[in-house]
Amino acid sequence: MSAIASTELVRQQNSLRVLTALRRHGNMSHTDLAARTGLASATVSAITAELERVGLIERTEQQASSGRGRPRVLFQPNRRFGYVAVVVISSDAVQYSLVDFTGTLMDRFAEGRASANTPDFAQAILAGLLRLVGRSKIAPDAVLHISISSKGLVDPASATLLWSPVLGDAQVSFREILSSRFQAQIYLYNETLLAAEALWVRTRTQTGGTGALTALSLGHSIGLGVARERDAERAEVVAPNFGHMLHLPDGALCRCGAKGCIEAYCGFYGILRTAFEVPTNTIPAKFVPIAEVEKIAASARAGNRRAAFAFRQAGLALGNGLSRLFSLYGHMPVFVTGPGTRFFDILKSSIQDGMMQTNAIRIGGLPEITIVPDEQTLVFEGHMGLALSRLDGDIVKSGMAAPQMS
Ligand SMILES: [Zn+2]
């Protein structure tokens, strides 16, 4: 690498450190910034001057409490530098959120999901995003980053939804459709990957721990994300196709069309099918209202053997699957989230039994399991964490050109 290129790289990394510190810890003085980032005082001055010049950060002055002496100068991200739009696609609705450059939520609304017809679906998301910016009277070009999530399989590189419970294998290329009206960088994530990211950041903030963890989402479909330490500040997150890993060869018919997937036993439709003794080759229900699963759970808790068996089958499939995950990725704590957490009392022992059947767990022991019921908050936290850090990275790498605010 040439000397000029490496100087430029160091400058970018230092600018990113300052921006990250301001995002994490809010308003900060020059002295605090130097302490947090470990950068020399002169370096912090040069960086804050440059970030201020391009409009990425702004300063406020705080009069000393004595009313005498020089006012204290505090830096923070410039709220109006640009905006982030977040789109959360779930089985029955699409939620749109608009966030300013400091990470503050400005507007949010949800719409019933449009038709499952693919071109219409992508167009409906585009229309939703245009409505989102219109409501806040913001030009589409002022949105610098669009962060989308769905359950299912995604190709992050092209922002294409490859397979989803909502649309099946009809693929949606969000970048292609949305870039007709938006200049923003467009990212697409698996929903449980975002939950794993948020849990990793929470764990690091609360305990300082940065080990690996897995997020398991229980509901109509089964999602899983794994977060592992990349460096002290960031996690490497992946979403293996856990719900559709093989549980039993030639087993129950899954919603994806394959046979014997984990989800075919522990997704809500799988539990329903077992409880009502429906043949396992029956095409799965498209959607099972949670009230139906509540009824089966109540009957299992009351001692009904068939209902209890349905939950036991589900727990064993989950336990077997988790132990396979540990065989590949190593042991890690499990955080269970999603609507299915309300049935954890009748799933827990069979999940443990399912794990104990395997060598990985007999040797390594049972992992710690924590219930985090509020999946929506986790997913949004994951969106914001990744969106703002990627946005900062994109801006700094592009030479901090001011965005077009038309
Ligand atoms: Zn499947």
Side-chain angles (χ1 to χ4, degrees):
M1 189 185 286
S2 75
I4 292 174
S6 81
T7 311
E8 173 57 20
L9 195 62
V10 169
R11 193 189 62 83
Q12 287 179 7
Q13 284 167 347
N14 290 345
S15 301
L16 213 48
R17 266 158 87 175
V18 168
L19 273 174
T20 306
L22 288 175
R23 292 221 179 277
R24 294 256 161 81
H25 310 285
N27 291 2
M28 286 172 88
S29 68
H30 176 276
T31 318
D32 295 341
L33 268 174
R36 282 280 177 194
T37 58
L39 296 169
S41 176
T43 309
V44 172
S45 299
I47 291 172
T48 50
E50 172 69 2
L51 294 176
E52 247 188 307
R53 190 185 64 76
V54 297
L56 271 168
I57 63 172
E58 55 188 0
R59 65 167 73 201
T60 46
E61 296 192 352
Q62 220 176 41
Q63 199 57 51
S65 49
S66 64
R68 286 164 43 195
R70 285 199 348 212
R72 212 162 98 94
V73 174
L74 295 176
F75 295 102
Q76 62 273 315
N78 176 5
R79 199 165 57 79
R80 290 168 302 277
F81 184 81
Y83 302 87
V84 174
V86 174
V87 183
V88 177
I89 301 166
S90 57
S91 53
D92 55 348
V94 181
Q95 186 196 64
Y96 300 87
S97 306
L98 187 70
V99 177
D100 71 20
F101 197 63
T102 63
T104 306
L105 182 66
M106 297 168 61
D107 187 22
R108 172 175 283 171
F109 62 89
E111 288 181 340
R113 205 168 51 70
S115 80
N117 177 316
T118 319
D120 289 357
F121 182 73
Q123 288 299 334
I125 302 280
L126 176 60
L129 281 167
L130 289 170
R131 218 161 14 256
L132 182 71
V133 294
R135 279 160 56 121
S136 292
K137 301 192 169 43
I138 285 171
D141 288 355
V143 176
L144 305 180
H145 191 105
I146 299 175
S147 189
I148 310 168
S149 64
S150 169
K151 292 189 192 298
L153 262 189
V154 306
D155 175 33
S158 62
T160 301
L161 189 56
L162 299 175
W163 183 90
S164 65
V166 174
L167 298 165
D169 52 14
Q171 303 192 351
V172 191
S173 170
F174 287 104
R175 191 165 295 147
E176 203 178 296
I177 306 280
L178 302 185
S179 59
S180 66
R181 298 294 302 277
F182 287 90
Q183 309 267 320
Q185 297 285 340
I186 297 161
Y187 291 92
L188 174 66
Y189 302 100
N190 167 282
E191 191 178 279
T192 321
L193 177 146
L194 294 176
E197 158 77 19
L199 286 161
W200 191 87
V201 173
R202 276 191 195 178
T203 309
R204 191 208 47 209
T205 311
Q206 287 162 8
T207 68
T210 51
L213 60 82
T214 186
L216 172 67
S217 166
L218 303 181
H220 194 63
S221 57
I222 303 297
L224 183 128
V226 175
R228 286 172 295 173
E229 180 182 346
R230 178 161 38 165
D231 54 47
E233 292 286 326
R234 286 170 307 166
E236 184 82 55
V237 270
V238 291
N241 198 8
F242 181 81
H244 303 281
M245 266 168 43
L246 185 65
H247 173 55
L248 279 183
D250 237 356
L253 182 62
C254 178
R255 219 156 30 136
C256 72
K259 282 180 178 176
C261 298
I262 291 180
E263 186 184 294
Y265 294 88
C266 54
F268 285 169
Y269 66 88
I271 295 175
L272 184 87
R273 203 164 44 186
T274 316
F276 289 102
E277 297 184 68
V278 177
T280 54
N281 59 1
T282 307
I283 292 177
K286 264 212 166 332
F287 188 74
V288 180
I290 189 115
E292 290 302 311
V293 195
E294 292 276 19
K295 279 186 217 158
I296 303 169
S299 134
R301 290 182 189 112
N304 177 292
R305 291 181 62 173
R306 189 72 211 176
F309 177 70
F311 280 96
R312 174 144 186 92
Q313 288 285 86
L316 288 174
L318 287 169
N320 286 172
L322 284 172
S323 71
R324 287 185 176 120
L325 181 85
F326 299 150
S327 299
L328 293 169
Y329 286 93
H331 256 61
M332 61 186 97
V334 181
F335 292 80
V336 187
T337 187
T341 50
R342 70 187 76 184
F343 311 119
F344 198 73
D345 59 319
I346 41 176
L347 284 168
K348 187 178 176 191
S349 67
S350 52
I351 291 177
Q352 289 178 338
D353 290 348
M355 287 198 271
M356 285 304 289
Q357 289 169 355
T358 66
N359 178 278
I361 300 296
R362 287 153 77 107
I363 292 171
L366 285 166
E368 188 184 335
I369 298 182
T370 310
I371 307 297
V372 188
D374 188 359
E375 186 174 30
Q376 279 180 325
T377 302
L378 280 179
V379 170
F380 191 71
E381 264 179 48
H383 267 295
M384 289 319 300
L386 286 180
L388 292 172
S389 67
R390 282 196 150 161
L391 176 57
D392 290 346
D394 288 343
I395 295 168
V396 167
K397 274 187 216 118
S398 70
M400 299 195 279
Q404 301 126 334
M405 295 282 216
S406 55

